[in-house]
RNA sequence: GGCCUCGUGGCGGAGUGGUCACGCAGCGGACUGCAAAUCCGUGUACUCCGGUUCGAAUCCGGACGAGGCCUCCA
């Protein structure tokens, strides 16, 4: 089955045809590194990792280029640096903020079992490309210089607003944008702005300054993927103004009708039915969640909802995910798996239909459980690993549960041994008393007979 | 105010113009000394009102409700 993707540009699902099947090119907006990434930031990281894996499967691992940028120049970074490191020179403080935040982001992304993108370019390493784009825009009449700023001349682009479907007239009518006196048009946006001596800046034909918000993505996608490429992704909130302005810059600079053929946007996330915000106190960083939940549980929870739908992020959903993954580890945790099942690839190929994909996993799991299920078990494990699940050893996975219980392991093991002795003596009262004691500690026992020897064996884990 | 998305069973969550999503929970059974785990089986649905149609939860229109963007934001 052909890969189908929903294209924000045309608002419909289309067959994906790469410009060059030998080099399929994907660009995703990465983090602005000024603060810890939150669970909402994890969504595009996971969603586009799944797309990256699927593209590698369909076109070959070496034939997909996935670029996810690191934006390390931004006024939010400057503000954070000044706040957190008042003793340091600003540039040094900025470097500290960006390198610390970037390292934490990489650790978070790894813990979510995502593959590293092919390239993770930094904005500050592409100032020359940004300047070049601005020069092209000025030369072609799409940008102008005013009081040390360079601005994009929005009315110079007749079909500005096509991606977000906002006719220019409407936007101006309801404009809440910053109306600076040097702007020719209300919607014009900054490409380059002057920096004071204390602010970070780079030399340019328009004086020492720094780039506007949208320019870094135009510069980095151009440098690493070319003037036009296949897929551009990001959160739905970026459609306007960020992606709209990126499109304007890139298309006007290089004179093409399109920047990326397909634009994909993931939906938003709520926490326990409410908008996530610092003021509500429900702001969940990835790092904090990883303290309580395995990364695979976060990843799987994200996969339970289609990427374009809103997710309500709840503890209940996380607990269900953990339970499901426990079962899958129990059944297939030590199976290597040779390849993903075709049904999984098909489900994923339908615009990354992860809920359908999960239904296929359940079907494989149930088939593997039956007699002569070896083939299914191989495909089941292969599918899970393909999707970035089942990445730990079964024992490491099981240990996570036990680690979350504050109990004396040696004492628990001793009690279980005593119970086993009581059971072998058919002393049910004593056996049940010990089980009650362990239940009171918040533990659940599972008895099993060894299928070969018939020997009784008891395992334990914290109740949830 | 402008633009956009969405409304499915107790909960989560896909999909489709006319037989099943799937998972969790529940219920019944097997297994068990009793449980837990596991296995087998099982009920409940498509916000409302019109329209198109032989037939709509699925298409069209309207109402109501929820969310998002328009300002930093995944």
């Amino acid at each position: 089955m052909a890969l189908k993707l929903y294209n924000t540009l045309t608002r419909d699902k289309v067959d994906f045809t790469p410009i060059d099947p030998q080099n399929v090119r994907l660009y995703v907006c990465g983090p602005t590194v000024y603060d810890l990434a939150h669970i909402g930031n994890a969504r595009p990281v996971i969603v586009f990792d799944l797309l990256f894996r699927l593209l590698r499967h369909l076109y070959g691992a070496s034939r997909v280029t996935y670029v996810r940028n690191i934006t390390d120049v931004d006024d939010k970074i400057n503000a954070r640096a000044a706040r957190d490191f008042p003793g340091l020179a600003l540039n040094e403080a900025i470097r500290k903020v960006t390198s610390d935040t970037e390292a934490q982001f990489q650790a978070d992304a790894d813990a979510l079992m995502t593959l590293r993108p092919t390239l993770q370019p930094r904005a500050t390493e592409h100032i020359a490309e940004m300047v070049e784009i601005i020069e092209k825009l000025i030369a072609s009449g799409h940008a102008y210089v005013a009081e040390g700023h360079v601005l994009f001349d929005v009315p110079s682009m007749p079909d500005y607003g096509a991606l977000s479907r906002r006719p220019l007239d409407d936007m101006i009518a309801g404009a809440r944008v910053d109306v600076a006196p040097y702007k020719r048009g209300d919607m014009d946006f900054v490409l380059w702005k002057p920096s004071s001596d204390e602010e970070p800046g780079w030399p340019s034909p328009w004086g020492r300054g720094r780039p506007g918000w949208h320019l870094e993505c135009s510069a980095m996608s151009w440098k690493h993927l070319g003037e036009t490429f296949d897929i551009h992704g990001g959160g739905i909130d970026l459609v306007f103004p960020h992606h709209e302005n990126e499109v304007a810059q890139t298309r006007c600079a290089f004179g093409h009708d399109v920047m990326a053929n397909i634009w994909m946007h993931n939906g938003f996330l709520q926490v326990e039915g409410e908008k996530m915000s610092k003021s509500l106190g429900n702001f969940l960083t990835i790092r904090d969640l990883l303290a309580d939940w395995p990364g695979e549980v976060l990843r799987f929870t994200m996969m339970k909802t289609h990427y374009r739908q809103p997710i309500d992020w709840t503890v209940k959903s996380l607990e269900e995910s953990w339970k499901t993954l426990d079962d899958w580890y129990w059944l297939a945790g030590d199976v290597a798996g040779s390849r993903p099942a075709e049904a999984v690839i098909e489900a994923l190929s339908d615009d990354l239909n992860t809920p359908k994909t999960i239904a296929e996993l359940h079907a494989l799991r149930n088939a593997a459980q039956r007699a002569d299920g070896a083939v299914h078990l191989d495909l089941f494990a292969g599918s899970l690993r393909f999707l970035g699940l089942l990445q730990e050893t079964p024992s490491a996975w099981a240990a996570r549960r036990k680690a979350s219980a504050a109990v004396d392991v040696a004492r628990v093991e001793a009690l279980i041994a005593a119970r086993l002795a009581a059971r072998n003596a058919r002393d049910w009262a004593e056996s049940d008393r010990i089980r009650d004691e362990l239940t009171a500690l918040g533990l659940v026992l599972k008895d099993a007979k060894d299928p070969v020897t018939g020997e009784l064996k008891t395992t334990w884990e914290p109740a949830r």
Side-chain angles (χ1 to χ4, degrees):
Chain A
M1 193 180 90
L3 172 58
K4 286 183 164 55
L5 296 172
Y6 183 86
N7 189 358
T8 305
L9 200 55
T10 54
R11 312 280 155 119
D12 63 0
K13 220 191 271 186
V14 293
D15 286 336
F16 174 67
T17 310
I19 297 166
D20 175 8
Q22 300 300 311
N23 183 20
V24 181
R25 288 162 288 164
L26 167 67
Y27 186 94
V28 174
C29 289
T32 298
V33 284
Y34 71 102
D35 201 359
L36 292 174
H38 57 68
I39 189 59
N41 296 304
R43 196 169 190 190
V45 171
I46 292 167
V47 164
F48 292 105
D49 176 68
L50 287 165
L51 179 62
F52 184 39
R53 287 168 185 267
L54 180 61
L55 291 170
R56 284 160 60 95
H57 178 83
L58 296 174
Y59 293 94
S62 63
R63 293 181 182 150
V64 182
T65 304
Y66 172 21
V67 176
R68 186 179 63 206
N69 66 287
I70 302 282
T71 294
D72 58 353
V73 51
D74 187 284
D75 287 353
K76 289 195 294 288
I77 296 172
N78 305 344
R80 184 60 59 104
R83 189 194 80 181
D84 288 355
F85 303 101
L88 296 180
L90 185 63
N91 279 338
E92 205 179 319
I94 286 171
R95 200 169 312 118
K96 183 112 181 79
V97 167
T98 56
S99 66
D100 288 358
T101 309
E102 184 184 330
Q104 181 64 51
F105 175 78
Q106 297 297 352
D108 291 346
D110 288 348
L112 295 170
M113 304 301 174
T114 57
L115 304 174
R116 291 278 174 110
T118 318
L119 293 164
Q120 299 196 71
R122 291 183 191 80
T124 50
E125 291 165 4
H126 296 76
I127 301 292
E129 285 81 4
M130 296 186 205
V131 168
E132 200 174 333
I133 288 174
I134 295 173
E135 285 177 326
K136 285 179 195 291
L137 289 170
I138 292 173
S140 59
H142 290 293
Y144 58 93
V145 181
E147 296 182 23
H149 294 69
V150 185
L151 291 113
F152 186 89
D153 184 2
V154 168
S156 76
M157 183 184 187
D159 60 345
Y160 179 86
L163 178 66
S164 56
R165 305 221 167 165
R166 287 156 200 264
L168 199 47
D169 297 347
D170 292 0
M171 281 191 276
I172 292 168
R176 279 201 262 160
V177 293
D178 172 35
V179 183
Y182 49 79
K183 278 189 184 179
R184 282 187 203 163
D186 289 343
M187 296 305 297
D188 294 355
F189 57 90
V190 171
L191 298 169
W192 191 263
K193 54 187 166 188
S195 291
S196 67
D197 289 345
E198 304 81 52
E199 289 169 329
W202 290 263
S204 81
W206 319 283
R208 184 175 175 280
R210 59 195 194 283
W213 173 29
H214 317 291
L215 194 56
E216 81 279 11
C217 288
S218 288
M220 289 184 269
S221 61
W222 170 44
K223 171 80 179 287
H224 300 289
L225 297 177
E227 296 174 8
T228 62
F229 49 95
D230 295 300
I231 304 170
H232 190 127
I236 194 162
D237 56 309
L238 295 180
V239 174
F240 189 89
H242 183 58
H243 288 162
E244 197 70 74
N245 291 350
E246 255 186 84
V247 172
Q249 292 161 355
T250 296
R251 282 184 48 204
C252 290
F254 302 108
H256 295 296
D257 290 337
V258 293
M259 176 182 181
N261 280 332
I262 294 186
W263 289 77
M264 294 175 67
H265 294 96
N266 61 269
F268 252 56
L269 175 149
Q270 289 193 301
V271 173
E272 305 288 351
E274 289 184 308
K275 182 169 171 140
M276 181 168 65
S277 73
K278 284 178 180 166
S279 57
L280 284 172
N282 63 353
F283 194 86
L284 303 175
T285 64
I286 300 173
R287 188 169 76 178
D288 287 347
L289 284 166
L290 286 170
D292 295 331
W293 309 91
E296 283 184 40
V297 167
L298 306 186
R299 182 180 178 90
F300 184 71
T301 299
M302 210 65 95
M303 289 170 61
K304 290 200 292 192
T305 303
H306 183 88
Y307 76 93
R308 284 191 278 117
Q309 294 295 120
I311 289 187
D312 188 12
W313 190 263
T314 62
V315 167
K316 183 165 182 269
S317 182
L318 287 163
E319 281 172 350
E320 266 186 33
S321 297
W322 199 338
K323 222 160 98 173
T324 301
L325 291 172
D326 275 347
D327 177 64
W328 291 356
Y329 264 98
W330 167 76
L331 185 65
D334 54 3
V335 180
S338 55
R339 62 197 160 88
E342 201 47 43
V344 164
I345 297 298
E346 277 199 25
L348 212 51
S349 295
D350 183 11
D351 193 32
L352 301 182
N353 191 335
T354 48
K356 180 85 189 326
T357 304
I358 290 170
E360 297 295 349
L361 292 174
H362 286 299
L364 281 168
R365 181 246 180 253
N366 293 334
Q369 184 59 223
R370 297 194 188 99
D372 67 342
V375 174
H376 296 290
L377 187 58
D378 175 75
L379 289 174
F380 179 53
S383 299
L384 291 173
R385 294 184 196 284
F386 166 74
L387 293 167
L389 301 171
L390 226 64
Q391 302 294 304
E392 303 187 11
T393 63
S395 56
W397 181 264
R400 287 176 168 282
R401 280 274 197 216
K402 296 185 179 178
S404 70
V407 294
D408 178 346
V409 173
R411 180 163 165 253
V412 169
E413 303 286 352
L415 283 168
I416 287 175
R419 172 168 171 271
L420 199 58
R423 293 186 65 204
N424 286 332
R426 306 185 71 80
D427 183 352
W428 310 127
E430 174 64 4
S431 157
D432 290 350
R433 190 197 61 72
I434 295 172
R435 185 169 66 197
D436 290 345
E437 189 179 335
L438 289 165
T439 302
L441 292 172
L443 306 182
V444 176
L445 301 188
K446 294 182 188 176
D447 293 332
K449 258 184 197 160
D450 187 297
V452 182
T453 64
E455 198 182 353
L456 281 171
K457 199 164 184 285
T458 301
T459 56
W460 66 275
E461 66 177 46
R464 296 197 70 87

